[in-house]
Amino acid sequence: MEGKKTREEVEKSGMIDTWMRKHRLIYSGATKHPFILSIRDGTVDLEAFKTWLGQDYIFVRAFAPFVASVLIKAWKESDDSSDMEVILSGMASLNDEIAWFKSEAAKWGVQLSEVVPQKANQDYCRFLESLMSPDVEYTVAMTAFWAIEAVYQASFALCLEDGSKTPAELTETCRRWGNDGFGQYCNSLQKIANRRLGKTPDDVLSKAEVTLLRVLEHEVEFWNMSHGSA
Ligand SMILES: Cc1ncc(CN)c(N)n1
């Protein structure tokens, strides 16, 4: 049996990988949710897809200020000036993402101005807002930022794998987050998070781990709005 790793050993391989192994059940609950699996196997209910589209537009509008708050924390607290460029590139893609949601909603006949945020979405947006507080450490916020992006990347990449039966009208959506460029951007976020986690005090490390788990729970609840126990 594998012995318990020392903190130094964990730092070498990266805290994020360690946590993904430790929390693999909840991680795969978020990345292989029945809603995503229904896209992948072609059985997705298109009404459920429209629900997700409208709700995610509202989420992304709250996510952009969260990313802006991470940018401010990086400017104030980061030990590496290149972090800001990575975060800025994320903000730029959110600008595209918001425009994409508007044109996609028009295609599907979803009136974005009439979408009412459901409870799971409100709870997730409130959680994001709590992470915007200046009291939340950069390392903690960065871990959440990585996790939020990584869940979408892993989920939608699954729908593009060989053998998947994703309906043609949904492949563009899947490519938006499942493409290699988005994957590389997630790797850059992961690298920043790992670097910070490798040199953070134990109390902040614990806060980051709890925050990661909260993100994964919110992601599961978010998918549930469209498919499952809403
Ligand atoms: C709920 C949710 N999580 C993550 C993402 C990716 N930015 C998103 N658009 N929506």
Side-chain angles (χ1 to χ4, degrees), residues 52 55-57 59-60 63 67 94 97 101 121 124 145 147-153 156 177 182 185 215 218-219 222-223 225:
W52 166 80
Q55 293 296 321
D56 211 40
Y57 170 72
F59 176 84
V60 170
F63 185 55
V67 178
L94 283 176
E97 210 165 294
F101 271 104
N121 201 357
Y124 202 175
F145 182 21
I148 295 168
E149 298 289 45
V151 165
Y152 261 42
Q153 201 280 327
F156 285 110
W177 291 279
F182 197 78
Y185 157 66
V215 166
H218 280 295
E219 288 289 339
F222 199 91
W223 294 131
M225 284 188 300

Side-chain angles (χ1 to χ4, degrees), residues 2-220:
E2 203 184 319
K4 196 174 188 317
K5 285 198 168 108
T6 63
R7 170 92 191 244
E8 286 70 29
E9 284 167 331
V10 164
E11 278 165 21
K12 257 195 214 150
S13 62
M15 194 56 76
I16 296 282
D17 280 345
T18 303
W19 284 344
M20 284 210 287
R21 276 195 296 274
K22 182 175 170 192
H23 303 299
R24 59 185 175 280
L25 272 184
I26 172 91
Y27 181 74
S28 57
T31 55
K32 295 182 177 141
H33 188 275
F35 176 64
I36 283 297
L37 298 180
S38 77
I39 295 179
R40 183 187 152 93
D41 70 18
T43 61
V44 62
D45 171 358
L46 293 178
E47 284 308 310
F49 175 76
K50 287 198 227 174
T51 300
W52 166 80
L53 190 72
Q55 293 296 321
D56 211 40
Y57 170 72
I58 294 174
F59 176 84
V60 170
R61 292 192 74 90
F63 185 55
F66 164 71
V67 178
S69 78
V70 181
L71 184 72
I72 294 170
K73 291 186 207 293
W75 173 61
K76 290 195 174 165
E77 290 177 52
S78 182
D79 49 323
D80 187 333
S81 62
S82 66
D83 291 4
M84 274 184 71
E85 275 80 348
V86 177
I87 301 164
L88 271 174
S89 75
M91 293 204 69
S93 57
L94 283 176
N95 187 32
D96 288 349
E97 210 165 294
I98 286 175
W100 176 83
F101 271 104
K102 287 181 181 163
S103 72
E104 196 66 12
K107 244 195 260 174
W108 289 91
V110 175
Q111 290 290 335
L112 291 176
S113 58
E114 286 168 19
V115 176
V116 178
Q118 292 186 26
K119 181 166 184 309
N121 201 357
Q122 285 173 358
D123 291 347
Y124 202 175
C125 292
R126 250 196 303 272
F127 171 71
L128 282 186
E129 210 173 332
S130 73
L131 294 177
M132 293 184 215
S133 160
D135 295 339
V136 174
E137 296 81 358
Y138 173 51
T139 306
V140 173
M142 197 63 216
T143 303
F145 182 21
W146 162 77
I148 295 168
E149 298 289 45
V151 165
Y152 261 42
Q153 201 280 327
S155 299
F156 285 110
L158 206 63
C159 303
L160 298 171
E161 279 178 355
D162 285 349
S164 61
K165 299 189 184 103
T166 298
E169 62 270 44
L170 302 190
T171 50
E172 192 194 311
T173 302
C174 299
R175 279 202 205 105
R176 170 152 284 281
W177 291 279
N179 74 75
D180 289 345
F182 197 78
Q184 275 156 25
Y185 157 66
C186 290
N187 287 342
S188 304
L189 294 178
Q190 183 170 340
K191 229 170 125 188
I192 297 173
N194 269 332
R195 190 192 77 236
R196 297 288 310 187
L197 291 164
K199 44 182 136 178
T200 202
D202 283 348
D203 61 323
V204 179
L205 201 61
S206 302
K207 276 196 236 174
E209 186 174 11
V210 169
T211 302
L212 165 63
L213 290 173
R214 292 292 91 79
V215 166
L216 297 176
E217 287 162 5
H218 280 295
E219 288 289 339
V220 171

